[in-house]
Amino acid sequence: EYDWVIAYGVYIDDTEIFLKEVQSESRNLVNNLVLRLIVFLIAIITLGFGLITFMERRAKRKETEALKVELDRDALTMAYSRRAFDFYLPNAYDRFKESGISPLFLLVDIDDFKDINDQYGHATGDQALKAFAKTIIERNRKEDRVYRLGGDEFVLVYEGVREENDETLSEIILDS
């Protein structure tokens, strides 16, 4: 029977060196983690702002396009508006001066339209205008334009129609 105590001894100087190494490694790890956390947060914030900016630009572009449609289209008939015609006309004239080719313009006024409004009411008159514009727009080619100048007055613009075909085209519109 032995009553021995076995112990392992470490010099105090050795523990201080060990503690300094552990503290140094701990500081380096903490500094590294803090740096990574800061970079990660900056990346998240940058991506967040980028996403917000992208979404705002996209929403603004959609709103701008919708506003342009509202400005360029007559709300009742969905024909192009007088404002759109006012922008189109100078450009068409410039193209005519350059090429010598003029688009065909047909001015259409619905006869006795005031009588429809007076006799049946403005709601019925609006329905008649919608039906008229829809019929004309559907029968036109993709490149043709229908502008509502106001009231019951419309301008139909046909690009690339030869002069000898203008009467035939007018008759087709009247038959509509």
Side-chain angles (χ1 to χ4, degrees):
E1 295 187 26
Y2 301 101
D3 284 334
W4 290 6
V5 174
I6 301 176
Y8 177 70
V10 177
Y11 292 110
I12 285 283
D13 293 342
D14 291 343
T15 59
E16 286 180 18
I17 292 171
F18 178 73
L19 285 174
K20 285 181 182 177
E21 286 177 10
V22 168
Q23 287 174 344
S24 176
E25 287 179 19
S26 294
R27 259 189 247 110
N28 286 340
L29 282 173
V30 167
N31 289 340
N32 195 0
L33 285 174
V34 167
L35 182 62
R36 287 182 183 195
L37 180 63
I38 290 171
V39 168
F40 179 73
L41 289 174
I42 289 172
I44 292 292
I45 290 169
T46 303
L47 286 173
F49 280 127
L51 182 63
I52 289 169
T53 302
F54 171 76
M55 291 171 57
E56 284 179 350
R57 286 183 182 169
R58 185 174 164 192
K60 183 178 179 182
R61 185 175 54 246
K62 284 184 178 182
E63 288 173 6
T64 301
E65 289 171 4
L67 184 58
K68 184 168 177 16
V69 167
E70 283 186 41
L71 290 173
D72 287 347
R73 294 286 184 161
D74 175 63
L76 178 66
T77 63
M78 293 312 294
Y80 287 97
S81 66
R82 181 182 190 114
R83 177 187 176 279
F85 184 69
D86 291 342
F87 281 105
Y88 167 80
L89 202 54
N91 294 328
Y93 182 68
D94 289 342
R95 286 193 305 275
F96 167 71
K97 287 193 309 190
E98 290 174 8
S99 68
I101 300 171
S102 172
L104 173 65
F105 293 91
L106 295 177
L107 179 61
V108 177
D109 180 89
I110 302 173
D111 290 336
D112 302 319
F113 184 73
K114 184 180 180 318
D115 293 343
I116 294 172
N117 278 339
D118 290 344
Q119 187 172 357
Y120 301 105
H122 289 279
T124 302
D126 288 351
Q127 292 302 320
L129 286 173
K130 285 180 190 179
F132 171 79
K134 182 180 179 195
T135 301
I136 297 300
I137 291 169
E138 287 175 350
R139 296 204 179 193
N140 281 339
R141 301 172 301 175
K142 182 179 168 186
E143 62 270 16
D144 300 333
R145 297 265 179 128
V146 177
Y147 296 90
R148 182 178 179 203
L149 297 184
D152 64 337
E153 295 176 348
F154 292 83
V155 172
L156 286 57
V157 179
Y158 299 94
E159 300 278 350
V161 175
R162 290 190 215 136
E163 198 171 325
E164 60 268 14
N165 294 333
D166 62 353
E167 284 184 37
T168 306
L169 183 60
S170 299
E171 290 171 10
I172 292 170
I173 298 300
L174 285 174
D175 289 341
S176 298

